[in-house]
Amino acid sequence: MNRIRPLPPEIVAQIAAGEVVGRPASVVKELVENSIDAGAREIRIEVVGGGRGMIRVADDGCGIPAAEVELAFQRHTTSKLTSADDLLHIRTLGFRGEALASIAAVSRVTCATRAVDEEVGTLVRLEGGEMVSRRAIGRPPGTTVTVEDIFYNVPARRKFLRSEATERRHIDAWVTRYAIAYPALRFILVHDGREVFRSPGSGRVRDVLVAVYGPEVGAALLEVVPETGSDVRVEGFVGPPELHRADRGEITLFVNGRWVQDARLAYAVVQAYHTLLPTGRYPLAVVQVTVPPEEVDVNVHPAKAEVRFRDGEAVFRAVQRAVRQAVVEGARVPTMGTVSAGAFPVRPAERTPERAPFFPRAPEGMGPVQMPLVPPTAHPGGMPPLRVIGQVGATYIVAEGPDGLYLIDQHAAHERVLYEQMMARRPEGVPAQPLLEPVAVDLSPEWAGLVGAHRETLCRLGLEVEPFGGTTFLVRSLPAVGTMASAHPREVLLEVAQGLAEGRAGTEEEVEQAIVRRVCKGAAIKAGQVLSREEMEELLRSLEQCASPRTCPHGRPTMIHISISQLAREFNR
Ligand code: ADP
Ligand code: MG
C-alpha cells in the first residue's frame, strides 16, 4: 500500500486548471470575459493553429495596475467580489479569480497591460504558472494577454486536443456568442493572420446577427420584444418558421449577459414554435433573458455554462410566451422559392452579400427571403383576404390575393382550421355532435386496448366511443366544431388509434394534444376531394380566422404565395 501524501502544488494547480481550461476555446472565452469586465470597447482575438500555436486577446479596457499584476495571476484573487454577499448580486462575467491562474498553469503566458490612471505599463511572462520575467513598458491603456504552447506541461490534455478545425469552430462559437450578447463592443477575430469576423459595435443586435449569419438571414429574423412590467425580461431575435435547422445547435441563450446551455430554456423556445415547424426540425434563435441578479445562481459550475433560477417555471413561461408572440406575429406566407416547389423553378433573387456569412453552414430549409410579403390586414393571423379562382388536381385551391397568386393545400388548411377550433373549445370540453347512426369500427387488439384505455379523454374531446364486443368499437359522436360535419367517423377513429399507438410515452397533456391533432387529420378534407366553390370559400374564411393560418398542425405549409413580381420575372417581363 502507498502512503497518503499531499499532492505537489503544481499538480494541484494543473488539476484545478483542468476545470477552467478544457481546450483552447476556453482560454478565448475566459480572456474575452475579462476584457468585457474591464469595460473594453474593442476586443481583438488572434488565433494561430486553432489555438495550439497562439491565442492573443487584446483590449482597450481599464488595464491592471502595476502593483496588482502578480496578484491577478494568483489563484482566487479577483477585483470583482469582496464578500460572500456579493455572490448574490453578480454583475460581472468573472468572479472566481481562477482564469488567469489556470491558464498560466498550463501554458506560457505574456501579459502586457497599463491601467488607465497610470503612466507606465507592465509586461510579465509566466511559464507553468511561475513568473519568469517582469519589466515596465510603454503602451496605451488596456491589456493584451498572449497564450502560447497550451498544455505543453500536461501531456494527457495535449493528446486530447481535437483537430485544428474543431478547435477553431469552438473558438468561433464563443466569439460569436459574446459579440451577440455585447453588440456595443467591437469584436475582431483573426485566424492565422486572416480576419474572419468583425462585429460593428453599433449597439444593435441585428447588426451583429447580419455579420454572423449573413444579410439574408439577418434580415429575416423576427424581433422578440420584451414585455414591460415583468421581472423576467425576454428579448432577442428568432427565425421565422420556414428557417429551420436539423438540431438545437442554433438556439443561443443568454442569461444576464452570460451564455448558458440550458435544456429547459431551449425547450421553451422550441415549444414556442409548436405546430409551426416540421417534426424533427429546430428553430434558429438568439434569446436574452434578464432577471434580477438575486433571482439566478450562476455559481453552479466553474465554466459557468449552467445557471439555476429561483423560479424556473416563470422564466420558462416568459420565454415561451415572448418567442411565440414574435413568431406568430411575424410569420409570413412562404413565397415560392422559400419552399422547395420543384414544379416552379424560381431563380433566387440576385444578391451579392457585402460580406459572406460568418457561419459557413448554408441556411437550410430556406431560400431567398423576401419581405414584407403581406400587407397588413385585420385577420388575427395576418392572412390577406383571398378570392377563390378554382381548384387544381382536386387538392389545391387557387386564389388571388392583394399581391399575386396563392395555392392552398386543402387538406393542410382544413386540418389547421379544425385544430384551432378544437383547441379553443378544449378547456371546457369539446361538445359532441351525435351521429344519426353509430358507426362500428374494427381495430387490431393493440389499438382496441389503447382506445379503450383513453375512452374518457376521447369523450372529453367530443369523440364518444363504446366497446361493441371483441376489438370492435362504436363511434357515437364526432366533436361538434364548425367544419367537422362531413368527416368519416371510421377514419377519425383509425387515425386516433394510430396516434395513440405511436405516442404512448407522453404526459396526459401531450396525449390529449396528439389526439386532437389526429382527430383533425382524420376529419380534414382529403386531397383528391372535389370541392364546390362555396366549400372552398368557406374553408378560406375559416382559415382567415386562425391565429396561425400558414402551417398545418404538423408544421407543413398550408399555402404558397407567388407574387406579381415573381410572375413577371418568370415571364421575363
Ligand atoms: P476573475 O475574472 O474571476 O476576477 P481572473 O483570473 O480572470 O479572475 O482575473 C483576475 C483579475 O485580473 C480580475 O479580477 C481583474 O481584476 C484582472 N484582469 C484580468 N484580465 C483583465 C483585463 N483584460 N483587463 C483588466 N483587468 C483584468
Ligand atoms: Mg475572469
PDB file of all heavy atoms in Angstrom, residues 30-31 34-35 37-38 59 61-64 68 71-74 77-80 93-101 113 142-143 145 304, ligand 1:
ATOM      1  N   GLU A  30     -12.396  32.823 -21.475  1.00  0.00           N
ATOM      2  CA  GLU A  30     -12.040  33.479 -20.207  1.00  0.00           C
ATOM      3  C   GLU A  30     -11.382  34.841 -20.452  1.00  0.00           C
ATOM      4  O   GLU A  30     -11.660  35.805 -19.748  1.00  0.00           O
ATOM      5  CB  GLU A  30     -11.098  32.579 -19.392  1.00  0.00           C
ATOM      6  CG  GLU A  30     -11.749  31.294 -18.908  1.00  0.00           C
ATOM      7  CD  GLU A  30     -12.856  31.508 -17.869  1.00  0.00           C
ATOM      8  OE1 GLU A  30     -12.880  32.589 -17.243  1.00  0.00           O
ATOM      9  OE2 GLU A  30     -13.701  30.608 -17.704  1.00  0.00           O
ATOM     10  N   LEU A  31     -10.499  34.906 -21.463  1.00  0.00           N
ATOM     11  CA  LEU A  31      -9.816  36.173 -21.716  1.00  0.00           C
ATOM     12  C   LEU A  31     -10.802  37.217 -22.232  1.00  0.00           C
ATOM     13  O   LEU A  31     -10.742  38.391 -21.846  1.00  0.00           O
ATOM     14  CB  LEU A  31      -8.659  35.982 -22.711  1.00  0.00           C
ATOM     15  CG  LEU A  31      -7.509  35.094 -22.204  1.00  0.00           C
ATOM     16  CD1 LEU A  31      -6.427  34.982 -23.278  1.00  0.00           C
ATOM     17  CD2 LEU A  31      -6.910  35.635 -20.910  1.00  0.00           C
ATOM     18  N   ASN A  34     -12.786  38.579 -19.385  1.00  0.00           N
ATOM     19  CA  ASN A  34     -12.024  39.568 -18.622  1.00  0.00           C
ATOM     20  C   ASN A  34     -12.019  40.918 -19.322  1.00  0.00           C
ATOM     21  O   ASN A  34     -12.133  41.963 -18.680  1.00  0.00           O
ATOM     22  CB  ASN A  34     -10.578  39.085 -18.421  1.00  0.00           C
ATOM     23  CG  ASN A  34     -10.493  38.049 -17.304  1.00  0.00           C
ATOM     24  OD1 ASN A  34     -11.437  37.864 -16.545  1.00  0.00           O
ATOM     25  ND2 ASN A  34      -9.362  37.373 -17.227  1.00  0.00           N
ATOM     26  N   SER A  35     -11.893  40.884 -20.656  1.00  0.00           N
ATOM     27  CA  SER A  35     -11.877  42.152 -21.403  1.00  0.00           C
ATOM     28  C   SER A  35     -13.227  42.854 -21.281  1.00  0.00           C
ATOM     29  O   SER A  35     -13.292  44.071 -21.125  1.00  0.00           O
ATOM     30  CB  SER A  35     -11.564  41.885 -22.883  1.00  0.00           C
ATOM     31  OG  SER A  35     -10.271  41.348 -23.014  1.00  0.00           O
ATOM     32  N   ASP A  37     -15.384  42.500 -18.792  1.00  0.00           N
ATOM     33  CA  ASP A  37     -15.459  43.009 -17.412  1.00  0.00           C
ATOM     34  C   ASP A  37     -14.614  44.267 -17.241  1.00  0.00           C
ATOM     35  O   ASP A  37     -14.914  45.108 -16.391  1.00  0.00           O
ATOM     36  CB  ASP A  37     -14.984  41.935 -16.421  1.00  0.00           C
ATOM     37  CG  ASP A  37     -16.037  40.847 -16.195  1.00  0.00           C
ATOM     38  OD1 ASP A  37     -17.205  41.074 -16.574  1.00  0.00           O
ATOM     39  OD2 ASP A  37     -15.689  39.781 -15.648  1.00  0.00           O
ATOM     40  N   ALA A  38     -13.543  44.385 -18.029  1.00  0.00           N
ATOM     41  CA  ALA A  38     -12.654  45.543 -17.894  1.00  0.00           C
ATOM     42  C   ALA A  38     -13.200  46.766 -18.625  1.00  0.00           C
ATOM     43  O   ALA A  38     -12.543  47.798 -18.695  1.00  0.00           O
ATOM     44  CB  ALA A  38     -11.258  45.189 -18.424  1.00  0.00           C
ATOM     45  N   ASP A  59      -7.338  44.179 -25.505  1.00  0.00           N
ATOM     46  CA  ASP A  59      -8.488  45.054 -25.266  1.00  0.00           C
ATOM     47  C   ASP A  59      -8.053  46.461 -24.909  1.00  0.00           C
ATOM     48  O   ASP A  59      -6.878  46.717 -24.639  1.00  0.00           O
ATOM     49  CB  ASP A  59      -9.398  44.466 -24.173  1.00  0.00           C
ATOM     50  CG  ASP A  59      -8.764  44.480 -22.790  1.00  0.00           C
ATOM     51  OD1 ASP A  59      -8.262  45.537 -22.349  1.00  0.00           O
ATOM     52  OD2 ASP A  59      -8.772  43.413 -22.131  1.00  0.00           O
ATOM     53  N   GLY A  61      -9.553  48.091 -22.399  1.00  0.00           N
ATOM     54  CA  GLY A  61     -10.265  48.268 -21.130  1.00  0.00           C
ATOM     55  C   GLY A  61      -9.424  48.986 -20.081  1.00  0.00           C
ATOM     56  O   GLY A  61      -8.445  49.648 -20.413  1.00  0.00           O
ATOM     57  N   CYS A  62      -9.816  48.811 -18.820  1.00  0.00           N
ATOM     58  CA  CYS A  62      -9.224  49.607 -17.741  1.00  0.00           C
ATOM     59  C   CYS A  62      -7.791  49.231 -17.394  1.00  0.00           C
ATOM     60  O   CYS A  62      -7.082  49.984 -16.730  1.00  0.00           O
ATOM     61  CB  CYS A  62     -10.091  49.513 -16.489  1.00  0.00           C
ATOM     62  SG  CYS A  62     -10.137  47.836 -15.826  1.00  0.00           S
ATOM     63  N   GLY A  63      -7.328  48.051 -17.842  1.00  0.00           N
ATOM     64  CA  GLY A  63      -5.958  47.663 -17.549  1.00  0.00           C
ATOM     65  C   GLY A  63      -5.768  47.197 -16.111  1.00  0.00           C
ATOM     66  O   GLY A  63      -6.667  47.336 -15.278  1.00  0.00           O
ATOM     67  N   ILE A  64      -4.593  46.617 -15.836  1.00  0.00           N
ATOM     68  CA  ILE A  64      -4.303  46.132 -14.480  1.00  0.00           C
ATOM     69  C   ILE A  64      -3.222  47.027 -13.880  1.00  0.00           C
ATOM     70  O   ILE A  64      -2.160  47.202 -14.487  1.00  0.00           O
ATOM     71  CB  ILE A  64      -3.814  44.670 -14.505  1.00  0.00           C
ATOM     72  CG1 ILE A  64      -4.806  43.796 -15.284  1.00  0.00           C
ATOM     73  CG2 ILE A  64      -3.613  44.139 -13.085  1.00  0.00           C
ATOM     74  CD1 ILE A  64      -4.366  42.352 -15.466  1.00  0.00           C
ATOM     75  N   GLU A  68      -0.626  45.267  -9.136  1.00  0.00           N
ATOM     76  CA  GLU A  68      -1.538  44.124  -8.961  1.00  0.00           C
ATOM     77  C   GLU A  68      -1.363  43.027 -10.010  1.00  0.00           C
ATOM     78  O   GLU A  68      -2.101  42.033 -10.000  1.00  0.00           O
ATOM     79  CB  GLU A  68      -2.989  44.628  -8.999  1.00  0.00           C
ATOM     80  CG  GLU A  68      -3.321  45.498  -7.810  1.00  0.00           C
ATOM     81  CD  GLU A  68      -4.725  46.091  -7.885  1.00  0.00           C
ATOM     82  OE1 GLU A  68      -5.522  45.615  -8.716  1.00  0.00           O
ATOM     83  OE2 GLU A  68      -4.989  47.024  -7.118  1.00  0.00           O
ATOM     84  N   LEU A  71      -0.696  39.620  -8.578  1.00  0.00           N
ATOM     85  CA  LEU A  71      -1.903  39.132  -7.893  1.00  0.00           C
ATOM     86  C   LEU A  71      -2.911  38.560  -8.877  1.00  0.00           C
ATOM     87  O   LEU A  71      -3.534  37.533  -8.614  1.00  0.00           O
ATOM     88  CB  LEU A  71      -2.572  40.298  -7.151  1.00  0.00           C
ATOM     89  CG  LEU A  71      -2.265  40.458  -5.679  1.00  0.00           C
ATOM     90  CD1 LEU A  71      -3.094  41.618  -5.124  1.00  0.00           C
ATOM     91  CD2 LEU A  71      -2.582  39.166  -4.923  1.00  0.00           C
ATOM     92  N   ALA A  72      -3.041  39.242 -10.000  1.00  0.00           N
ATOM     93  CA  ALA A  72      -4.048  38.817 -10.977  1.00  0.00           C
ATOM     94  C   ALA A  72      -3.829  37.372 -11.396  1.00  0.00           C
ATOM     95  O   ALA A  72      -4.778  36.655 -11.703  1.00  0.00           O
ATOM     96  CB  ALA A  72      -4.018  39.731 -12.198  1.00  0.00           C
ATOM     97  N   PHE A  73      -2.557  36.934 -11.398  1.00  0.00           N
ATOM     98  CA  PHE A  73      -2.252  35.574 -11.847  1.00  0.00           C
ATOM     99  C   PHE A  73      -2.253  34.567 -10.706  1.00  0.00           C
ATOM    100  O   PHE A  73      -1.937  33.400 -10.904  1.00  0.00           O
ATOM    101  CB  PHE A  73      -0.904  35.557 -12.588  1.00  0.00           C
ATOM    102  CG  PHE A  73      -1.037  36.066 -13.993  1.00  0.00           C
ATOM    103  CD1 PHE A  73      -0.817  37.406 -14.295  1.00  0.00           C
ATOM    104  CD2 PHE A  73      -1.415  35.202 -15.013  1.00  0.00           C
ATOM    105  CE1 PHE A  73      -0.971  37.877 -15.585  1.00  0.00           C
ATOM    106  CE2 PHE A  73      -1.566  35.674 -16.306  1.00  0.00           C
ATOM    107  CZ  PHE A  73      -1.342  37.015 -16.601  1.00  0.00           C
ATOM    108  N   GLN A  74      -2.559  35.006  -9.491  1.00  0.00           N
ATOM    109  CA  GLN A  74      -2.669  34.034  -8.403  1.00  0.00           C
ATOM    110  C   GLN A  74      -4.094  33.487  -8.334  1.00  0.00           C
ATOM    111  O   GLN A  74      -5.046  34.160  -8.729  1.00  0.00           O
ATOM    112  CB  GLN A  74      -2.265  34.678  -7.078  1.00  0.00           C
ATOM    113  CG  GLN A  74      -0.752  34.765  -6.959  1.00  0.00           C
ATOM    114  CD  GLN A  74      -0.323  35.626  -5.807  1.00  0.00           C
ATOM    115  OE1 GLN A  74      -1.063  35.787  -4.843  1.00  0.00           O
ATOM    116  NE2 GLN A  74       0.873  36.190  -5.920  1.00  0.00           N
ATOM    117  N   THR A  77      -7.808  35.202  -6.701  1.00  0.00           N
ATOM    118  CA  THR A  77      -7.659  36.642  -6.498  1.00  0.00           C
ATOM    119  C   THR A  77      -8.505  37.328  -7.555  1.00  0.00           C
ATOM    120  O   THR A  77      -8.422  37.000  -8.730  1.00  0.00           O
ATOM    121  CB  THR A  77      -6.193  37.090  -6.664  1.00  0.00           C
ATOM    122  OG1 THR A  77      -5.716  36.598  -7.915  1.00  0.00           O
ATOM    123  CG2 THR A  77      -5.325  36.574  -5.539  1.00  0.00           C
ATOM    124  N   THR A  78      -9.333  38.226  -7.127  1.00  0.00           N
ATOM    125  CA  THR A  78     -10.243  38.901  -8.054  1.00  0.00           C
ATOM    126  C   THR A  78     -10.515  40.306  -7.570  1.00  0.00           C
ATOM    127  O   THR A  78     -10.446  40.580  -6.373  1.00  0.00           O
ATOM    128  CB  THR A  78     -11.575  38.118  -8.195  1.00  0.00           C
ATOM    129  OG1 THR A  78     -12.428  38.820  -9.089  1.00  0.00           O
ATOM    130  CG2 THR A  78     -12.283  37.983  -6.854  1.00  0.00           C
ATOM    131  N   SER A  79     -10.805  41.178  -8.501  1.00  0.00           N
ATOM    132  CA  SER A  79     -11.198  42.535  -8.124  1.00  0.00           C
ATOM    133  C   SER A  79     -12.718  42.664  -8.144  1.00  0.00           C
ATOM    134  O   SER A  79     -13.256  43.732  -7.971  1.00  0.00           O
ATOM    135  CB  SER A  79     -10.574  43.533  -9.108  1.00  0.00           C
ATOM    136  OG  SER A  79     -10.985  43.204 -10.433  1.00  0.00           O
ATOM    137  N   LYS A  80     -13.419  41.534  -8.386  1.00  0.00           N
ATOM    138  CA  LYS A  80     -14.844  41.632  -8.690  1.00  0.00           C
ATOM    139  C   LYS A  80     -15.770  41.246  -7.551  1.00  0.00           C
ATOM    140  O   LYS A  80     -16.970  41.430  -7.624  1.00  0.00           O
ATOM    141  CB  LYS A  80     -15.134  40.783  -9.934  1.00  0.00           C
ATOM    142  CG  LYS A  80     -14.326  41.280 -11.127  1.00  0.00           C
ATOM    143  CD  LYS A  80     -14.306  40.338 -12.304  1.00  0.00           C
ATOM    144  CE  LYS A  80     -13.248  40.778 -13.307  1.00  0.00           C
ATOM    145  NZ  LYS A  80     -13.093  39.835 -14.409  1.00  0.00           N
ATOM    146  N   LEU A  93     -18.813  39.009 -15.462  1.00  0.00           N
ATOM    147  CA  LEU A  93     -18.740  37.657 -16.002  1.00  0.00           C
ATOM    148  C   LEU A  93     -17.820  36.793 -15.148  1.00  0.00           C
ATOM    149  O   LEU A  93     -18.061  35.624 -14.930  1.00  0.00           O
ATOM    150  CB  LEU A  93     -18.252  37.707 -17.449  1.00  0.00           C
ATOM    151  CG  LEU A  93     -19.252  38.354 -18.416  1.00  0.00           C
ATOM    152  CD1 LEU A  93     -18.603  38.668 -19.740  1.00  0.00           C
ATOM    153  CD2 LEU A  93     -20.446  37.435 -18.615  1.00  0.00           C
ATOM    154  N   GLY A  94     -16.711  37.379 -14.686  1.00  0.00           N
ATOM    155  CA  GLY A  94     -15.797  36.630 -13.822  1.00  0.00           C
ATOM    156  C   GLY A  94     -16.097  36.944 -12.375  1.00  0.00           C
ATOM    157  O   GLY A  94     -16.762  37.924 -12.073  1.00  0.00           O
ATOM    158  N   PHE A  95     -15.661  36.081 -11.481  1.00  0.00           N
ATOM    159  CA  PHE A  95     -15.768  36.366 -10.045  1.00  0.00           C
ATOM    160  C   PHE A  95     -15.011  35.340  -9.229  1.00  0.00           C
ATOM    161  O   PHE A  95     -14.835  35.498  -8.043  1.00  0.00           O
ATOM    162  CB  PHE A  95     -17.232  36.425  -9.585  1.00  0.00           C
ATOM    163  CG  PHE A  95     -18.007  35.170  -9.888  1.00  0.00           C
ATOM    164  CD1 PHE A  95     -17.980  34.098  -9.005  1.00  0.00           C
ATOM    165  CD2 PHE A  95     -18.754  35.063 -11.057  1.00  0.00           C
ATOM    166  CE1 PHE A  95     -18.696  32.939  -9.292  1.00  0.00           C
ATOM    167  CE2 PHE A  95     -19.473  33.910 -11.338  1.00  0.00           C
ATOM    168  CZ  PHE A  95     -19.437  32.842 -10.457  1.00  0.00           C
ATOM    169  N   ARG A  96     -14.534  34.259  -9.883  1.00  0.00           N
ATOM    170  CA  ARG A  96     -13.874  33.219  -9.121  1.00  0.00           C
ATOM    171  C   ARG A  96     -12.377  33.466  -8.974  1.00  0.00           C
ATOM    172  O   ARG A  96     -11.714  32.789  -8.198  1.00  0.00           O
ATOM    173  CB  ARG A  96     -14.063  31.875  -9.821  1.00  0.00           C
ATOM    174  CG  ARG A  96     -15.470  31.388  -9.794  1.00  0.00           C
ATOM    175  CD  ARG A  96     -15.598  30.222 -10.744  1.00  0.00           C
ATOM    176  NE  ARG A  96     -16.889  29.588 -10.601  1.00  0.00           N
ATOM    177  CZ  ARG A  96     -17.092  28.508  -9.843  1.00  0.00           C
ATOM    178  NH1 ARG A  96     -16.106  27.951  -9.190  1.00  0.00           N
ATOM    179  NH2 ARG A  96     -18.298  28.004  -9.742  1.00  0.00           N
ATOM    180  N   GLY A  97     -11.849  34.372  -9.766  1.00  0.00           N
ATOM    181  CA  GLY A  97     -10.420  34.647  -9.687  1.00  0.00           C
ATOM    182  C   GLY A  97      -9.569  33.443 -10.045  1.00  0.00           C
ATOM    183  O   GLY A  97      -8.504  33.220  -9.491  1.00  0.00           O
ATOM    184  N   GLU A  98     -10.051  32.642 -10.984  1.00  0.00           N
ATOM    185  CA  GLU A  98      -9.342  31.407 -11.313  1.00  0.00           C
ATOM    186  C   GLU A  98      -8.747  31.392 -12.701  1.00  0.00           C
ATOM    187  O   GLU A  98      -7.834  30.642 -12.967  1.00  0.00           O
ATOM    188  CB  GLU A  98     -10.329  30.225 -11.253  1.00  0.00           C
ATOM    189  CG  GLU A  98     -10.630  29.750  -9.881  1.00  0.00           C
ATOM    190  CD  GLU A  98     -11.556  28.548  -9.914  1.00  0.00           C
ATOM    191  OE1 GLU A  98     -12.535  28.561 -10.682  1.00  0.00           O
ATOM    192  OE2 GLU A  98     -11.275  27.607  -9.176  1.00  0.00           O
ATOM    193  N   ALA A  99      -9.299  32.211 -13.609  1.00  0.00           N
ATOM    194  CA  ALA A  99      -8.984  32.021 -15.022  1.00  0.00           C
ATOM    195  C   ALA A  99      -7.503  32.276 -15.323  1.00  0.00           C
ATOM    196  O   ALA A  99      -6.824  31.413 -15.876  1.00  0.00           O
ATOM    197  CB  ALA A  99      -9.868  32.911 -15.882  1.00  0.00           C
ATOM    198  N   LEU A 100      -6.998  33.444 -14.961  1.00  0.00           N
ATOM    199  CA  LEU A 100      -5.611  33.750 -15.317  1.00  0.00           C
ATOM    200  C   LEU A 100      -4.657  32.749 -14.672  1.00  0.00           C
ATOM    201  O   LEU A 100      -3.723  32.268 -15.316  1.00  0.00           O
ATOM    202  CB  LEU A 100      -5.257  35.185 -14.905  1.00  0.00           C
ATOM    203  CG  LEU A 100      -5.910  36.288 -15.755  1.00  0.00           C
ATOM    204  CD1 LEU A 100      -5.411  37.666 -15.322  1.00  0.00           C
ATOM    205  CD2 LEU A 100      -5.631  36.080 -17.242  1.00  0.00           C
ATOM    206  N   ALA A 101      -4.906  32.397 -13.416  1.00  0.00           N
ATOM    207  CA  ALA A 101      -4.042  31.420 -12.741  1.00  0.00           C
ATOM    208  C   ALA A 101      -4.098  30.077 -13.465  1.00  0.00           C
ATOM    209  O   ALA A 101      -3.075  29.429 -13.685  1.00  0.00           O
ATOM    210  CB  ALA A 101      -4.462  31.266 -11.285  1.00  0.00           C
ATOM    211  N   THR A 113       0.087  45.178 -19.974  1.00  0.00           N
ATOM    212  CA  THR A 113      -1.093  45.898 -19.520  1.00  0.00           C
ATOM    213  C   THR A 113      -0.704  47.274 -18.996  1.00  0.00           C
ATOM    214  O   THR A 113       0.422  47.504 -18.582  1.00  0.00           O
ATOM    215  CB  THR A 113      -1.813  45.091 -18.409  1.00  0.00           C
ATOM    216  OG1 THR A 113      -3.042  45.744 -18.069  1.00  0.00           O
ATOM    217  CG2 THR A 113      -0.954  44.943 -17.178  1.00  0.00           C
ATOM    218  N   GLY A 142      -4.995  49.479 -21.388  1.00  0.00           N
ATOM    219  CA  GLY A 142      -5.629  48.248 -21.858  1.00  0.00           C
ATOM    220  C   GLY A 142      -4.744  47.056 -21.558  1.00  0.00           C
ATOM    221  O   GLY A 142      -3.696  47.200 -20.920  1.00  0.00           O
ATOM    222  N   THR A 143      -5.169  45.922 -22.037  1.00  0.00           N
ATOM    223  CA  THR A 143      -4.474  44.680 -21.672  1.00  0.00           C
ATOM    224  C   THR A 143      -4.368  43.774 -22.889  1.00  0.00           C
ATOM    225  O   THR A 143      -5.326  43.636 -23.653  1.00  0.00           O
ATOM    226  CB  THR A 143      -5.259  43.938 -20.564  1.00  0.00           C
ATOM    227  OG1 THR A 143      -5.437  44.819 -19.459  1.00  0.00           O
ATOM    228  CG2 THR A 143      -4.531  42.685 -20.111  1.00  0.00           C
ATOM    229  N   VAL A 145      -3.186  39.826 -23.540  1.00  0.00           N
ATOM    230  CA  VAL A 145      -2.705  38.567 -22.969  1.00  0.00           C
ATOM    231  C   VAL A 145      -2.409  37.613 -24.125  1.00  0.00           C
ATOM    232  O   VAL A 145      -3.260  37.407 -24.988  1.00  0.00           O
ATOM    233  CB  VAL A 145      -3.739  37.943 -22.011  1.00  0.00           C
ATOM    234  CG1 VAL A 145      -3.236  36.601 -21.481  1.00  0.00           C
ATOM    235  CG2 VAL A 145      -4.059  38.886 -20.867  1.00  0.00           C
ATOM    236  N   LYS A 304     -19.334  27.887 -15.794  1.00  0.00           N
ATOM    237  CA  LYS A 304     -20.461  28.802 -15.674  1.00  0.00           C
ATOM    238  C   LYS A 304     -21.447  28.737 -16.845  1.00  0.00           C
ATOM    239  O   LYS A 304     -22.125  29.692 -17.144  1.00  0.00           O
ATOM    240  CB  LYS A 304     -19.958  30.245 -15.505  1.00  0.00           C
ATOM    241  CG  LYS A 304     -19.204  30.435 -14.199  1.00  0.00           C
ATOM    242  CD  LYS A 304     -18.467  31.760 -14.160  1.00  0.00           C
ATOM    243  CE  LYS A 304     -17.198  31.714 -14.969  1.00  0.00           C
ATOM    244  NZ  LYS A 304     -16.312  32.853 -14.803  1.00  0.00           N
TER     245      LYS A 304
HETATM  246  P1  ADP B   1     -11.891  36.893 -12.366  1.00  0.00           P
HETATM  247  O1  ADP B   1     -12.198  37.359 -13.742  1.00  0.00           O
HETATM  248  O2  ADP B   1     -12.793  35.804 -11.923  1.00  0.00           O
HETATM  249  O3  ADP B   1     -11.782  38.010 -11.392  1.00  0.00           O
HETATM  250  P2  ADP B   1      -9.334  36.199 -13.491  1.00  0.00           P
HETATM  251  O4  ADP B   1      -8.292  35.237 -13.064  1.00  0.00           O
HETATM  252  O5  ADP B   1      -9.931  36.005 -14.825  1.00  0.00           O
HETATM  253  O6  ADP B   1     -10.453  36.193 -12.385  1.00  0.00           O
HETATM  254  O7  ADP B   1      -8.735  37.660 -13.408  1.00  0.00           O
HETATM  255  C1  ADP B   1      -8.179  38.105 -12.175  1.00  0.00           C
HETATM  256  C2  ADP B   1      -8.211  39.608 -12.097  1.00  0.00           C
HETATM  257  O8  ADP B   1      -7.309  40.171 -13.049  1.00  0.00           O
HETATM  258  C3  ADP B   1      -9.549  40.224 -12.411  1.00  0.00           C
HETATM  259  O9  ADP B   1     -10.388  40.274 -11.271  1.00  0.00           O
HETATM  260  C4  ADP B   1      -9.168  41.619 -12.894  1.00  0.00           C
HETATM  261  O10 ADP B   1      -9.002  42.498 -11.808  1.00  0.00           O
HETATM  262  C5  ADP B   1      -7.807  41.405 -13.533  1.00  0.00           C
HETATM  263  N1  ADP B   1      -7.911  41.284 -15.017  1.00  0.00           N
HETATM  264  C6  ADP B   1      -7.847  40.160 -15.724  1.00  0.00           C
HETATM  265  N2  ADP B   1      -7.945  40.419 -17.058  1.00  0.00           N
HETATM  266  C7  ADP B   1      -8.065  41.760 -17.180  1.00  0.00           C
HETATM  267  C8  ADP B   1      -8.219  42.662 -18.293  1.00  0.00           C
HETATM  268  N3  ADP B   1      -8.279  42.221 -19.574  1.00  0.00           N
HETATM  269  N4  ADP B   1      -8.300  43.986 -18.021  1.00  0.00           N
HETATM  270  C9  ADP B   1      -8.264  44.438 -16.749  1.00  0.00           C
HETATM  271  N5  ADP B   1      -8.129  43.634 -15.663  1.00  0.00           N
HETATM  272  C10 ADP B   1      -8.024  42.326 -15.859  1.00  0.00           C
END
